[in-house]
Amino acid sequence: APGQMGRPRRKGQRLPTLAARLESPETVWQTVTVQWYGGQPRVLELATGTAVWYHVGKPTVPLRWVLVRDPQGKRAAQGFLCTDPSQSAAQIVQWYRWRWQVEVTFAEVRAHLGVESQRQWSPRAIARTTPVLLGLFSLVVVQAQRSQRDGNWKLPQAAWYRKERPTFIDALALVRRQLWAAELLRRSPGSGKLGKVRQELWECWSDLLCYSA
C-alpha cells in the first residue's frame, strides 16, 4: 500500500480452491462445443479465471485455471491449470485432448520399437537412439498410410471385434511384410526345384511372423 514499508506484495488473499468453486453457486459457467476423442463434438461447461502460484523463495507463476464439467453428469468434473493466462479456456481443454495422441505415441514406441529399453550406458548414446526410433515410428506410419490410401492394404479383422482404423502394430506388420517380400524376391533364385506352398498357408505364416517379430 502507499507509504507502507518493504517490497511490494507478490500475492494477494488466498483464492477458493477448485473444489470449492465447483460447488459454489456464484461460479459462472459457459457452454462450449469442443472436438473430443475420435473427432466427435462434445458439449461441455467451462468455468475459468486467473490466479498465481506462489511458494516462498520461488518466482510467482501466473496461471489460468479451468473447471470442466459434463452437463449430463455422466463424467466427473476435472480441473486444469495453464501457465499462459492469455489462452482461452476452450483452447486449454483442446490441448488436454491432444495429449492423448502424444501418450499413445510414446506407449507404442516403447512397446514395439524399444524406446526406454535400450541397453546403453552412455547418456549421449540414448540421446542419439531415441530420436531415431521416434523417426522410425513416423516412417512406419507414413508408409502404412500410403499403402492404405492406394488400396494395397486389407485391414485384418477378428471375429469378435471389427476395427475401423489400423493400430500401430498393424502398420508395423504391413511394413515388415513389404520389406521382407522385397528382400526375398530380390534373392530368389531364377531356377531350381522349389517346394510349393499353398497361398493360404503362406499368408497365414506371413501374418504370424509379421506380428510376432
Side-chain angles (χ1 to χ4, degrees), residues 110-162:
R110 182 178 183 182
H112 304 295
L113 298 182
V115 170
E116 294 187 351
S117 62
Q118 305 102 301
R119 296 184 177 180
Q120 298 165 323
W121 294 98
S122 171
R124 291 185 177 180
I126 296 176
R128 290 191 298 265
T129 306
T130 301
V132 171
L133 294 176
L134 288 170
L136 177 61
F137 177 89
S138 300
L139 291 176
V140 170
V141 172
V142 170
Q143 178 62 25
Q145 186 180 21
R146 181 180 302 172
S147 299
Q148 187 180 27
R149 184 179 63 247
D150 297 340
N152 299 327
W153 186 13
K154 184 179 180 181
L155 186 63
Q157 301 292 341
W160 60 90
Y161 175 69
R162 182 169 183 81

Side-chain angles (χ1 to χ4, degrees), residues 161-172:
Y161 175 69
R162 182 169 183 81
K163 290 189 293 187
E164 298 180 358
R165 297 181 179 181
T167 61
F168 178 70
I169 189 61
D170 294 326
L172 188 59

Side-chain angles (χ1 to χ4, degrees), residues 148-203:
Q148 187 180 27
R149 184 179 63 247
D150 297 340
N152 299 327
W153 186 13
K154 184 179 180 181
L155 186 63
Q157 301 292 341
W160 60 90
Y161 175 69
R162 182 169 183 81
K163 290 189 293 187
E164 298 180 358
R165 297 181 179 181
T167 61
F168 178 70
I169 189 61
D170 294 326
L172 188 59
L174 170 69
V175 175
R176 282 172 177 164
R177 176 189 284 270
Q178 293 176 344
L179 294 177
W180 292 353
E183 184 69 13
L184 291 174
L185 291 176
R186 184 176 67 85
R187 296 187 178 185
S188 178
S191 60
K193 295 182 179 181
L194 298 175
K196 293 185 178 180
V197 180
R198 290 186 298 123
Q199 184 67 25
E200 295 82 2
L201 186 58
W202 169 254
E203 293 292 337

Side-chain angles (χ1 to χ4, degrees), residues 9-25:
R9 295 188 63 181
R10 302 174 63 185
K11 63 182 181 67
Q13 297 296 326
R14 181 180 178 86
L15 298 177
T17 64
L18 294 185
R21 291 185 182 276
L22 182 64
E23 301 296 334
S24 175

